Amino acid sequence: MKKLRALVPLMLAAALILTSCGGTDTAPENPDAVTLTIMGKKTDLQKNYMVKIFERYEAATGNKLDIVSVDDDQYEAAAAERLENGEMTDIFLHFHNADLNRLDVEGNFCYLNDESWVSDLTDGARAYCTDAEGNLLGLPFWENSVSGCYYNKTLLDSLGLKSASTQAEFNTLCEALTATGYTPICWPAKDCSWMPQFALDPIFADNPETLEKLNNNEITYADIPEVRNMAQWISDAAEKGWFGSDYLETGWDDISPAMSSGSAVMTFIWDTWFYTDLEEGGKYTKDDFALMPVFMDTVDGGTFEGGNINMMMVNKNSDKMQDALDFLSFCAEAENYNAAFEGIATVSCFNGQTTNVQSHMVTDILPSVGEKQRVSTAASRIVGYSADDMVKIISELLSKHTDVDGCVRMMDEYRIAESEKEME
């Protein structure tokens, strides 16, 4: 009994020592710990590489991240409201597109030109995040993917069909698939906005003078035949059944089931999606898919779009501005971004990025991508272009609340209204 009593203090001491040591995956004690707020779109924040970097930061620093997740279609309005009310988060995620012009970037966000990690950015990623005056607006922590028409090659092979290289061939392919009972294209009209911009990109990327005239209001969309061609093609495709029967109710969450089951054969999307969002356990996996250009009757040979990159921006009016800048520096360390992007199919955003992979879908037709790829132009360079507005406008067309000419007219009305807001 005396021996047991003598052991008790030693056992308690040992227990205290073990408790203080903690496990290897426990965040360090940090008496100066802070909580940073990060605002992003719901679907963006769910990406596995974003979840990884958030968890890695908390584990390494002892700081906490308060994630403000906003439904995609409410994001721009929510950001504007937070700024107006002085409630903007410490860190703000945004694609460098025309919607950003609403938010008084110079007055609300830090220029990051002098940050230590800038030299590690690839030329393309840095250019995407730089404004017209040469200021770096955010850290490009995102997938740098190739967008196009991704198709189920296994299914096409089984039907004796081939991919297309011209608009006429693509239309014929859609007709053949419809005749066999398949939905040719998964078109998520409910809440996805990017499809029209793929069609618009070559119009303006290939003709910068047309872009300049549009932005100066010397011409309108209605004066550009290719814009009407796009609207007509979308309307005709829906009418012919190329989008199936429930495209107006099809949204982001429905793309994966449609593609993995084979109920839809093609979709206009990007390669990284197959590594981050295509659900497992379906009939088809990423290995069953291949890439061809997007065809929407604006350029005969089709088009691919270069990467759209989500930027991490820092609220310059936050009392935790330096902590937010330190978070970006953490994300920009090679050890951390390589851990987050391990196995992700993406072109590098950082010179030291080594764990990412290039998808077979892109490498298999690399010469075609090199020939037909355009820089993302519509969303980032058309003054007044709004992805959210395009969802509404195309939905009006597809639901037959307007016709093709009315659709183009609405595109102009929304664009001009947005550009006037930006000038206020």
Side-chain angles (χ1 to χ4, degrees), residues 217-253:
N217 288 322
E218 297 172 20
I219 61 173
T220 65
Y221 283 135
D223 298 314
I224 306 172
E226 292 88 350
V227 174
R228 192 186 188 284
N229 290 349
M230 177 197 73
Q232 186 70 62
W233 184 88
I234 293 172
S235 178
D236 290 346
E239 189 72 25
K240 294 174 182 176
W242 295 355
F243 301 156
S245 59
D246 58 351
Y247 48 88
L248 285 171
E249 300 304 319
T250 299
W252 172 262
D253 293 335

PDB file of all heavy atoms in Angstrom, residues 217-253:
ATOM      1  N   ASN A 217     -18.700  52.020 -75.651  1.00  0.00           N
ATOM      2  CA  ASN A 217     -20.094  52.178 -76.071  1.00  0.00           C
ATOM      3  C   ASN A 217     -20.224  52.780 -77.473  1.00  0.00           C
ATOM      4  O   ASN A 217     -21.207  53.458 -77.784  1.00  0.00           O
ATOM      5  CB  ASN A 217     -20.877  53.010 -75.050  1.00  0.00           C
ATOM      6  CG  ASN A 217     -21.145  52.243 -73.776  1.00  0.00           C
ATOM      7  OD1 ASN A 217     -21.418  51.044 -73.812  1.00  0.00           O
ATOM      8  ND2 ASN A 217     -21.062  52.923 -72.640  1.00  0.00           N
ATOM      9  N   GLU A 218     -19.233  52.501 -78.322  1.00  0.00           N
ATOM     10  CA  GLU A 218     -19.331  52.890 -79.723  1.00  0.00           C
ATOM     11  C   GLU A 218     -20.162  51.880 -80.495  1.00  0.00           C
ATOM     12  O   GLU A 218     -20.731  52.207 -81.550  1.00  0.00           O
ATOM     13  CB  GLU A 218     -17.930  53.003 -80.332  1.00  0.00           C
ATOM     14  CG  GLU A 218     -17.051  54.081 -79.689  1.00  0.00           C
ATOM     15  CD  GLU A 218     -15.618  54.025 -80.182  1.00  0.00           C
ATOM     16  OE1 GLU A 218     -15.382  53.441 -81.276  1.00  0.00           O
ATOM     17  OE2 GLU A 218     -14.726  54.536 -79.483  1.00  0.00           O
ATOM     18  N   ILE A 219     -20.193  50.644 -79.992  1.00  0.00           N
ATOM     19  CA  ILE A 219     -21.039  49.591 -80.542  1.00  0.00           C
ATOM     20  C   ILE A 219     -21.698  48.853 -79.383  1.00  0.00           C
ATOM     21  O   ILE A 219     -21.329  49.043 -78.213  1.00  0.00           O
ATOM     22  CB  ILE A 219     -20.246  48.595 -81.416  1.00  0.00           C
ATOM     23  CG1 ILE A 219     -19.155  47.902 -80.579  1.00  0.00           C
ATOM     24  CG2 ILE A 219     -19.659  49.284 -82.632  1.00  0.00           C
ATOM     25  CD1 ILE A 219     -18.433  46.781 -81.323  1.00  0.00           C
ATOM     26  N   THR A 220     -22.656  48.004 -79.709  1.00  0.00           N
ATOM     27  CA  THR A 220     -23.304  47.165 -78.706  1.00  0.00           C
ATOM     28  C   THR A 220     -23.150  45.704 -79.110  1.00  0.00           C
ATOM     29  O   THR A 220     -22.698  45.390 -80.214  1.00  0.00           O
ATOM     30  CB  THR A 220     -24.803  47.502 -78.592  1.00  0.00           C
ATOM     31  OG1 THR A 220     -25.441  47.162 -79.842  1.00  0.00           O
ATOM     32  CG2 THR A 220     -25.011  48.981 -78.283  1.00  0.00           C
ATOM     33  N   TYR A 221     -23.556  44.810 -78.212  1.00  0.00           N
ATOM     34  CA  TYR A 221     -23.580  43.390 -78.572  1.00  0.00           C
ATOM     35  C   TYR A 221     -24.416  43.158 -79.832  1.00  0.00           C
ATOM     36  O   TYR A 221     -24.100  42.305 -80.656  1.00  0.00           O
ATOM     37  CB  TYR A 221     -24.197  42.575 -77.440  1.00  0.00           C
ATOM     38  CG  TYR A 221     -23.318  42.321 -76.242  1.00  0.00           C
ATOM     39  CD1 TYR A 221     -23.813  42.482 -74.950  1.00  0.00           C
ATOM     40  CD2 TYR A 221     -22.008  41.869 -76.387  1.00  0.00           C
ATOM     41  CE1 TYR A 221     -23.032  42.221 -73.840  1.00  0.00           C
ATOM     42  CE2 TYR A 221     -21.214  41.605 -75.281  1.00  0.00           C
ATOM     43  CZ  TYR A 221     -21.735  41.783 -73.999  1.00  0.00           C
ATOM     44  OH  TYR A 221     -20.959  41.523 -72.909  1.00  0.00           O
ATOM     45  N   ALA A 222     -25.502  43.915 -79.949  1.00  0.00           N
ATOM     46  CA  ALA A 222     -26.402  43.731 -81.085  1.00  0.00           C
ATOM     47  C   ALA A 222     -25.732  44.024 -82.417  1.00  0.00           C
ATOM     48  O   ALA A 222     -26.207  43.584 -83.474  1.00  0.00           O
ATOM     49  CB  ALA A 222     -27.631  44.619 -80.907  1.00  0.00           C
ATOM     50  N   ASP A 223     -24.620  44.769 -82.390  1.00  0.00           N
ATOM     51  CA  ASP A 223     -23.885  45.086 -83.612  1.00  0.00           C
ATOM     52  C   ASP A 223     -22.864  44.013 -83.983  1.00  0.00           C
ATOM     53  O   ASP A 223     -22.177  44.138 -85.001  1.00  0.00           O
ATOM     54  CB  ASP A 223     -23.152  46.430 -83.459  1.00  0.00           C
ATOM     55  CG  ASP A 223     -24.106  47.583 -83.238  1.00  0.00           C
ATOM     56  OD1 ASP A 223     -25.116  47.659 -83.972  1.00  0.00           O
ATOM     57  OD2 ASP A 223     -23.858  48.409 -82.333  1.00  0.00           O
ATOM     58  N   ILE A 224     -22.739  42.967 -83.153  1.00  0.00           N
ATOM     59  CA  ILE A 224     -21.729  41.927 -83.360  1.00  0.00           C
ATOM     60  C   ILE A 224     -22.452  40.627 -83.731  1.00  0.00           C
ATOM     61  O   ILE A 224     -23.074  39.995 -82.870  1.00  0.00           O
ATOM     62  CB  ILE A 224     -20.881  41.728 -82.087  1.00  0.00           C
ATOM     63  CG1 ILE A 224     -20.278  43.069 -81.636  1.00  0.00           C
ATOM     64  CG2 ILE A 224     -19.782  40.695 -82.334  1.00  0.00           C
ATOM     65  CD1 ILE A 224     -19.593  43.000 -80.278  1.00  0.00           C
ATOM     66  N   PRO A 225     -22.408  40.211 -84.987  1.00  0.00           N
ATOM     67  CA  PRO A 225     -23.179  39.029 -85.427  1.00  0.00           C
ATOM     68  C   PRO A 225     -22.883  37.775 -84.614  1.00  0.00           C
ATOM     69  O   PRO A 225     -23.802  36.965 -84.362  1.00  0.00           O
ATOM     70  CB  PRO A 225     -22.756  38.863 -86.889  1.00  0.00           C
ATOM     71  CG  PRO A 225     -22.296  40.221 -87.317  1.00  0.00           C
ATOM     72  CD  PRO A 225     -21.668  40.837 -86.111  1.00  0.00           C
ATOM     73  N   GLU A 226     -21.620  37.587 -84.199  1.00  0.00           N
ATOM     74  CA  GLU A 226     -21.264  36.368 -83.477  1.00  0.00           C
ATOM     75  C   GLU A 226     -21.983  36.261 -82.134  1.00  0.00           C
ATOM     76  O   GLU A 226     -22.245  35.157 -81.641  1.00  0.00           O
ATOM     77  CB  GLU A 226     -19.753  36.302 -83.255  1.00  0.00           C
ATOM     78  CG  GLU A 226     -18.942  36.116 -84.523  1.00  0.00           C
ATOM     79  CD  GLU A 226     -18.595  37.442 -85.192  1.00  0.00           C
ATOM     80  OE1 GLU A 226     -19.140  38.492 -84.772  1.00  0.00           O
ATOM     81  OE2 GLU A 226     -17.770  37.433 -86.115  1.00  0.00           O
ATOM     82  N   VAL A 227     -22.296  37.391 -81.514  1.00  0.00           N
ATOM     83  CA  VAL A 227     -23.009  37.353 -80.231  1.00  0.00           C
ATOM     84  C   VAL A 227     -24.420  36.815 -80.443  1.00  0.00           C
ATOM     85  O   VAL A 227     -24.908  35.972 -79.687  1.00  0.00           O
ATOM     86  CB  VAL A 227     -23.044  38.748 -79.585  1.00  0.00           C
ATOM     87  CG1 VAL A 227     -23.905  38.732 -78.316  1.00  0.00           C
ATOM     88  CG2 VAL A 227     -21.632  39.221 -79.248  1.00  0.00           C
ATOM     89  N   ARG A 228     -25.065  37.283 -81.497  1.00  0.00           N
ATOM     90  CA  ARG A 228     -26.390  36.751 -81.804  1.00  0.00           C
ATOM     91  C   ARG A 228     -26.311  35.280 -82.191  1.00  0.00           C
ATOM     92  O   ARG A 228     -27.192  34.492 -81.839  1.00  0.00           O
ATOM     93  CB  ARG A 228     -27.043  37.550 -82.938  1.00  0.00           C
ATOM     94  CG  ARG A 228     -28.531  37.209 -83.093  1.00  0.00           C
ATOM     95  CD  ARG A 228     -29.169  37.872 -84.293  1.00  0.00           C
ATOM     96  NE  ARG A 228     -30.612  37.644 -84.266  1.00  0.00           N
ATOM     97  CZ  ARG A 228     -31.211  36.507 -84.586  1.00  0.00           C
ATOM     98  NH1 ARG A 228     -30.470  35.449 -84.957  1.00  0.00           N
ATOM     99  NH2 ARG A 228     -32.535  36.390 -84.522  1.00  0.00           N
ATOM    100  N   ASN A 229     -25.239  34.891 -82.912  1.00  0.00           N
ATOM    101  CA  ASN A 229     -25.063  33.483 -83.272  1.00  0.00           C
ATOM    102  C   ASN A 229     -25.029  32.601 -82.024  1.00  0.00           C
ATOM    103  O   ASN A 229     -25.605  31.510 -82.007  1.00  0.00           O
ATOM    104  CB  ASN A 229     -23.762  33.292 -84.054  1.00  0.00           C
ATOM    105  CG  ASN A 229     -23.820  33.890 -85.448  1.00  0.00           C
ATOM    106  OD1 ASN A 229     -24.885  34.278 -85.925  1.00  0.00           O
ATOM    107  ND2 ASN A 229     -22.670  33.981 -86.100  1.00  0.00           N
ATOM    108  N   MET A 230     -24.333  33.078 -80.997  1.00  0.00           N
ATOM    109  CA  MET A 230     -24.255  32.322 -79.752  1.00  0.00           C
ATOM    110  C   MET A 230     -25.636  32.137 -79.133  1.00  0.00           C
ATOM    111  O   MET A 230     -26.028  31.018 -78.753  1.00  0.00           O
ATOM    112  CB  MET A 230     -23.343  33.032 -78.756  1.00  0.00           C
ATOM    113  CG  MET A 230     -23.272  32.344 -77.390  1.00  0.00           C
ATOM    114  SD  MET A 230     -22.602  33.398 -76.079  1.00  0.00           S
ATOM    115  CE  MET A 230     -23.984  34.534 -75.809  1.00  0.00           C
ATOM    116  N   ALA A 231     -26.373  33.231 -79.030  1.00  0.00           N
ATOM    117  CA  ALA A 231     -27.707  33.152 -78.435  1.00  0.00           C
ATOM    118  C   ALA A 231     -28.612  32.237 -79.257  1.00  0.00           C
ATOM    119  O   ALA A 231     -29.404  31.452 -78.698  1.00  0.00           O
ATOM    120  CB  ALA A 231     -28.310  34.554 -78.326  1.00  0.00           C
ATOM    121  N   GLN A 232     -28.505  32.314 -80.577  1.00  0.00           N
ATOM    122  CA  GLN A 232     -29.325  31.459 -81.443  1.00  0.00           C
ATOM    123  C   GLN A 232     -28.942  29.993 -81.253  1.00  0.00           C
ATOM    124  O   GLN A 232     -29.824  29.124 -81.194  1.00  0.00           O
ATOM    125  CB  GLN A 232     -29.132  31.859 -82.905  1.00  0.00           C
ATOM    126  CG  GLN A 232     -30.049  31.126 -83.875  1.00  0.00           C
ATOM    127  CD  GLN A 232     -31.494  31.548 -83.732  1.00  0.00           C
ATOM    128  OE1 GLN A 232     -31.839  32.703 -83.950  1.00  0.00           O
ATOM    129  NE2 GLN A 232     -32.361  30.608 -83.364  1.00  0.00           N
ATOM    130  N   TRP A 233     -27.639  29.713 -81.162  1.00  0.00           N
ATOM    131  CA  TRP A 233     -27.210  28.329 -80.996  1.00  0.00           C
ATOM    132  C   TRP A 233     -27.721  27.755 -79.667  1.00  0.00           C
ATOM    133  O   TRP A 233     -28.210  26.622 -79.618  1.00  0.00           O
ATOM    134  CB  TRP A 233     -25.682  28.224 -81.048  1.00  0.00           C
ATOM    135  CG  TRP A 233     -25.222  26.797 -80.966  1.00  0.00           C
ATOM    136  CD1 TRP A 233     -25.052  25.940 -82.002  1.00  0.00           C
ATOM    137  CD2 TRP A 233     -24.945  26.054 -79.769  1.00  0.00           C
ATOM    138  NE1 TRP A 233     -24.679  24.696 -81.526  1.00  0.00           N
ATOM    139  CE2 TRP A 233     -24.598  24.738 -80.169  1.00  0.00           C
ATOM    140  CE3 TRP A 233     -24.953  26.370 -78.414  1.00  0.00           C
ATOM    141  CZ2 TRP A 233     -24.272  23.746 -79.243  1.00  0.00           C
ATOM    142  CZ3 TRP A 233     -24.628  25.386 -77.492  1.00  0.00           C
ATOM    143  CH2 TRP A 233     -24.289  24.095 -77.914  1.00  0.00           C
ATOM    144  N   ILE A 234     -27.616  28.532 -78.604  1.00  0.00           N
ATOM    145  CA  ILE A 234     -28.104  28.059 -77.301  1.00  0.00           C
ATOM    146  C   ILE A 234     -29.599  27.773 -77.359  1.00  0.00           C
ATOM    147  O   ILE A 234     -30.081  26.732 -76.879  1.00  0.00           O
ATOM    148  CB  ILE A 234     -27.787  29.097 -76.203  1.00  0.00           C
ATOM    149  CG1 ILE A 234     -26.267  29.197 -75.982  1.00  0.00           C
ATOM    150  CG2 ILE A 234     -28.474  28.725 -74.891  1.00  0.00           C
ATOM    151  CD1 ILE A 234     -25.851  30.334 -75.056  1.00  0.00           C
ATOM    152  N   SER A 235     -30.342  28.686 -77.950  1.00  0.00           N
ATOM    153  CA  SER A 235     -31.792  28.498 -78.064  1.00  0.00           C
ATOM    154  C   SER A 235     -32.133  27.267 -78.893  1.00  0.00           C
ATOM    155  O   SER A 235     -32.984  26.448 -78.506  1.00  0.00           O
ATOM    156  CB  SER A 235     -32.417  29.751 -78.697  1.00  0.00           C
ATOM    157  OG  SER A 235     -33.804  29.587 -78.876  1.00  0.00           O
ATOM    158  N   ASP A 236     -31.459  27.115 -80.030  1.00  0.00           N
ATOM    159  CA  ASP A 236     -31.730  25.965 -80.905  1.00  0.00           C
ATOM    160  C   ASP A 236     -31.330  24.649 -80.235  1.00  0.00           C
ATOM    161  O   ASP A 236     -32.040  23.633 -80.365  1.00  0.00           O
ATOM    162  CB  ASP A 236     -30.961  26.117 -82.218  1.00  0.00           C
ATOM    163  CG  ASP A 236     -31.505  27.236 -83.093  1.00  0.00           C
ATOM    164  OD1 ASP A 236     -32.622  27.717 -82.815  1.00  0.00           O
ATOM    165  OD2 ASP A 236     -30.802  27.639 -84.047  1.00  0.00           O
ATOM    166  N   ALA A 237     -30.187  24.656 -79.536  1.00  0.00           N
ATOM    167  CA  ALA A 237     -29.722  23.429 -78.872  1.00  0.00           C
ATOM    168  C   ALA A 237     -30.739  22.953 -77.839  1.00  0.00           C
ATOM    169  O   ALA A 237     -31.038  21.746 -77.745  1.00  0.00           O
ATOM    170  CB  ALA A 237     -28.366  23.674 -78.215  1.00  0.00           C
ATOM    171  N   ALA A 238     -31.267  23.884 -77.076  1.00  0.00           N
ATOM    172  CA  ALA A 238     -32.272  23.515 -76.079  1.00  0.00           C
ATOM    173  C   ALA A 238     -33.530  22.971 -76.759  1.00  0.00           C
ATOM    174  O   ALA A 238     -34.100  21.956 -76.325  1.00  0.00           O
ATOM    175  CB  ALA A 238     -32.616  24.731 -75.219  1.00  0.00           C
ATOM    176  N   GLU A 239     -33.943  23.636 -77.823  1.00  0.00           N
ATOM    177  CA  GLU A 239     -35.150  23.238 -78.555  1.00  0.00           C
ATOM    178  C   GLU A 239     -35.004  21.835 -79.147  1.00  0.00           C
ATOM    179  O   GLU A 239     -35.971  21.055 -79.182  1.00  0.00           O
ATOM    180  CB  GLU A 239     -35.432  24.247 -79.668  1.00  0.00           C
ATOM    181  CG  GLU A 239     -36.764  24.067 -80.356  1.00  0.00           C
ATOM    182  CD  GLU A 239     -37.950  24.480 -79.496  1.00  0.00           C
ATOM    183  OE1 GLU A 239     -37.763  25.325 -78.588  1.00  0.00           O
ATOM    184  OE2 GLU A 239     -39.053  23.940 -79.725  1.00  0.00           O
ATOM    185  N   LYS A 240     -33.807  21.481 -79.586  1.00  0.00           N
ATOM    186  CA  LYS A 240     -33.562  20.184 -80.209  1.00  0.00           C
ATOM    187  C   LYS A 240     -33.308  19.070 -79.193  1.00  0.00           C
ATOM    188  O   LYS A 240     -33.099  17.920 -79.583  1.00  0.00           O
ATOM    189  CB  LYS A 240     -32.358  20.288 -81.153  1.00  0.00           C
ATOM    190  CG  LYS A 240     -32.597  21.200 -82.349  1.00  0.00           C
ATOM    191  CD  LYS A 240     -31.313  21.383 -83.158  1.00  0.00           C
ATOM    192  CE  LYS A 240     -31.521  22.320 -84.330  1.00  0.00           C
ATOM    193  NZ  LYS A 240     -30.271  22.585 -85.088  1.00  0.00           N
ATOM    194  N   GLY A 241     -33.291  19.406 -77.916  1.00  0.00           N
ATOM    195  CA  GLY A 241     -33.094  18.394 -76.889  1.00  0.00           C
ATOM    196  C   GLY A 241     -31.643  18.103 -76.566  1.00  0.00           C
ATOM    197  O   GLY A 241     -31.336  17.124 -75.877  1.00  0.00           O
ATOM    198  N   TRP A 242     -30.726  18.946 -77.040  1.00  0.00           N
ATOM    199  CA  TRP A 242     -29.306  18.687 -76.815  1.00  0.00           C
ATOM    200  C   TRP A 242     -28.897  18.895 -75.362  1.00  0.00           C
ATOM    201  O   TRP A 242     -27.857  18.398 -74.945  1.00  0.00           O
ATOM    202  CB  TRP A 242     -28.450  19.583 -77.722  1.00  0.00           C
ATOM    203  CG  TRP A 242     -28.623  19.279 -79.184  1.00  0.00           C
ATOM    204  CD1 TRP A 242     -29.367  18.267 -79.741  1.00  0.00           C
ATOM    205  CD2 TRP A 242     -28.036  19.996 -80.276  1.00  0.00           C
ATOM    206  NE1 TRP A 242     -29.289  18.313 -81.113  1.00  0.00           N
ATOM    207  CE2 TRP A 242     -28.469  19.354 -81.481  1.00  0.00           C
ATOM    208  CE3 TRP A 242     -27.189  21.093 -80.379  1.00  0.00           C
ATOM    209  CZ2 TRP A 242     -28.090  19.808 -82.740  1.00  0.00           C
ATOM    210  CZ3 TRP A 242     -26.807  21.546 -81.634  1.00  0.00           C
ATOM    211  CH2 TRP A 242     -27.246  20.904 -82.806  1.00  0.00           C
ATOM    212  N   PHE A 243     -29.715  19.614 -74.580  1.00  0.00           N
ATOM    213  CA  PHE A 243     -29.442  19.799 -73.152  1.00  0.00           C
ATOM    214  C   PHE A 243     -30.297  18.877 -72.287  1.00  0.00           C
ATOM    215  O   PHE A 243     -30.280  18.984 -71.056  1.00  0.00           O
ATOM    216  CB  PHE A 243     -29.729  21.252 -72.731  1.00  0.00           C
ATOM    217  CG  PHE A 243     -28.933  22.296 -73.468  1.00  0.00           C
ATOM    218  CD1 PHE A 243     -29.411  23.594 -73.576  1.00  0.00           C
ATOM    219  CD2 PHE A 243     -27.716  21.992 -74.058  1.00  0.00           C
ATOM    220  CE1 PHE A 243     -28.690  24.570 -74.251  1.00  0.00           C
ATOM    221  CE2 PHE A 243     -26.988  22.965 -74.742  1.00  0.00           C
ATOM    222  CZ  PHE A 243     -27.478  24.255 -74.839  1.00  0.00           C
ATOM    223  N   GLY A 244     -31.041  17.977 -72.902  1.00  0.00           N
ATOM    224  CA  GLY A 244     -31.942  17.117 -72.154  1.00  0.00           C
ATOM    225  C   GLY A 244     -33.247  17.835 -71.868  1.00  0.00           C
ATOM    226  O   GLY A 244     -33.611  18.796 -72.549  1.00  0.00           O
ATOM    227  N   SER A 245     -33.935  17.386 -70.841  1.00  0.00           N
ATOM    228  CA  SER A 245     -35.265  17.947 -70.549  1.00  0.00           C
ATOM    229  C   SER A 245     -35.316  18.779 -69.272  1.00  0.00           C
ATOM    230  O   SER A 245     -36.283  19.517 -69.062  1.00  0.00           O
ATOM    231  CB  SER A 245     -36.285  16.813 -70.441  1.00  0.00           C
ATOM    232  OG  SER A 245     -35.899  15.900 -69.412  1.00  0.00           O
ATOM    233  N   ASP A 246     -34.309  18.678 -68.420  1.00  0.00           N
ATOM    234  CA  ASP A 246     -34.390  19.355 -67.125  1.00  0.00           C
ATOM    235  C   ASP A 246     -33.248  20.348 -66.910  1.00  0.00           C
ATOM    236  O   ASP A 246     -32.845  20.604 -65.781  1.00  0.00           O
ATOM    237  CB  ASP A 246     -34.406  18.330 -65.991  1.00  0.00           C
ATOM    238  CG  ASP A 246     -33.177  17.412 -66.009  1.00  0.00           C
ATOM    239  OD1 ASP A 246     -32.410  17.468 -66.993  1.00  0.00           O
ATOM    240  OD2 ASP A 246     -32.991  16.658 -65.042  1.00  0.00           O
ATOM    241  N   TYR A 247     -32.744  20.940 -67.977  1.00  0.00           N
ATOM    242  CA  TYR A 247     -31.593  21.830 -67.875  1.00  0.00           C
ATOM    243  C   TYR A 247     -31.866  23.069 -67.021  1.00  0.00           C
ATOM    244  O   TYR A 247     -30.968  23.599 -66.363  1.00  0.00           O
ATOM    245  CB  TYR A 247     -31.107  22.255 -69.270  1.00  0.00           C
ATOM    246  CG  TYR A 247     -32.205  22.730 -70.195  1.00  0.00           C
ATOM    247  CD1 TYR A 247     -32.597  24.062 -70.220  1.00  0.00           C
ATOM    248  CD2 TYR A 247     -32.850  21.834 -71.045  1.00  0.00           C
ATOM    249  CE1 TYR A 247     -33.607  24.493 -71.061  1.00  0.00           C
ATOM    250  CE2 TYR A 247     -33.857  22.255 -71.890  1.00  0.00           C
ATOM    251  CZ  TYR A 247     -34.242  23.586 -71.900  1.00  0.00           C
ATOM    252  OH  TYR A 247     -35.244  24.001 -72.727  1.00  0.00           O
ATOM    253  N   LEU A 248     -33.122  23.539 -66.998  1.00  0.00           N
ATOM    254  CA  LEU A 248     -33.440  24.718 -66.187  1.00  0.00           C
ATOM    255  C   LEU A 248     -33.360  24.419 -64.696  1.00  0.00           C
ATOM    256  O   LEU A 248     -33.194  25.335 -63.878  1.00  0.00           O
ATOM    257  CB  LEU A 248     -34.826  25.248 -66.536  1.00  0.00           C
ATOM    258  CG  LEU A 248     -34.936  25.998 -67.869  1.00  0.00           C
ATOM    259  CD1 LEU A 248     -36.391  26.270 -68.213  1.00  0.00           C
ATOM    260  CD2 LEU A 248     -34.150  27.300 -67.815  1.00  0.00           C
ATOM    261  N   GLU A 249     -33.467  23.152 -64.334  1.00  0.00           N
ATOM    262  CA  GLU A 249     -33.363  22.745 -62.932  1.00  0.00           C
ATOM    263  C   GLU A 249     -32.021  22.100 -62.622  1.00  0.00           C
ATOM    264  O   GLU A 249     -31.802  21.614 -61.508  1.00  0.00           O
ATOM    265  CB  GLU A 249     -34.499  21.775 -62.581  1.00  0.00           C
ATOM    266  CG  GLU A 249     -35.892  22.357 -62.771  1.00  0.00           C
ATOM    267  CD  GLU A 249     -36.087  23.651 -61.983  1.00  0.00           C
ATOM    268  OE1 GLU A 249     -35.613  23.692 -60.828  1.00  0.00           O
ATOM    269  OE2 GLU A 249     -36.683  24.597 -62.520  1.00  0.00           O
ATOM    270  N   THR A 250     -31.133  22.055 -63.597  1.00  0.00           N
ATOM    271  CA  THR A 250     -29.820  21.452 -63.420  1.00  0.00           C
ATOM    272  C   THR A 250     -28.836  22.518 -62.944  1.00  0.00           C
ATOM    273  O   THR A 250     -28.711  23.575 -63.572  1.00  0.00           O
ATOM    274  CB  THR A 250     -29.312  20.830 -64.734  1.00  0.00           C
ATOM    275  OG1 THR A 250     -30.218  19.805 -65.137  1.00  0.00           O
ATOM    276  CG2 THR A 250     -27.923  20.240 -64.557  1.00  0.00           C
ATOM    277  N   GLY A 251     -28.152  22.238 -61.821  1.00  0.00           N
ATOM    278  CA  GLY A 251     -27.196  23.183 -61.268  1.00  0.00           C
ATOM    279  C   GLY A 251     -25.850  22.530 -61.022  1.00  0.00           C
ATOM    280  O   GLY A 251     -25.594  21.396 -61.457  1.00  0.00           O
ATOM    281  N   TRP A 252     -25.001  23.233 -60.299  1.00  0.00           N
ATOM    282  CA  TRP A 252     -23.641  22.762 -60.036  1.00  0.00           C
ATOM    283  C   TRP A 252     -23.617  21.344 -59.468  1.00  0.00           C
ATOM    284  O   TRP A 252     -22.842  20.493 -59.918  1.00  0.00           O
ATOM    285  CB  TRP A 252     -22.954  23.727 -59.084  1.00  0.00           C
ATOM    286  CG  TRP A 252     -21.617  23.240 -58.603  1.00  0.00           C
ATOM    287  CD1 TRP A 252     -21.359  22.613 -57.406  1.00  0.00           C
ATOM    288  CD2 TRP A 252     -20.360  23.310 -59.288  1.00  0.00           C
ATOM    289  NE1 TRP A 252     -20.026  22.291 -57.309  1.00  0.00           N
ATOM    290  CE2 TRP A 252     -19.389  22.714 -58.451  1.00  0.00           C
ATOM    291  CE3 TRP A 252     -19.965  23.819 -60.520  1.00  0.00           C
ATOM    292  CZ2 TRP A 252     -18.052  22.612 -58.821  1.00  0.00           C
ATOM    293  CZ3 TRP A 252     -18.626  23.728 -60.885  1.00  0.00           C
ATOM    294  CH2 TRP A 252     -17.681  23.122 -60.032  1.00  0.00           C
ATOM    295  N   ASP A 253     -24.449  21.078 -58.490  1.00  0.00           N
ATOM    296  CA  ASP A 253     -24.423  19.776 -57.822  1.00  0.00           C
ATOM    297  C   ASP A 253     -24.913  18.635 -58.701  1.00  0.00           C
ATOM    298  O   ASP A 253     -24.744  17.469 -58.335  1.00  0.00           O
ATOM    299  CB  ASP A 253     -25.281  19.839 -56.544  1.00  0.00           C
ATOM    300  CG  ASP A 253     -24.687  20.745 -55.489  1.00  0.00           C
ATOM    301  OD1 ASP A 253     -23.461  20.946 -55.502  1.00  0.00           O
ATOM    302  OD2 ASP A 253     -25.459  21.267 -54.655  1.00  0.00           O
TER     303      ASP A 253
END
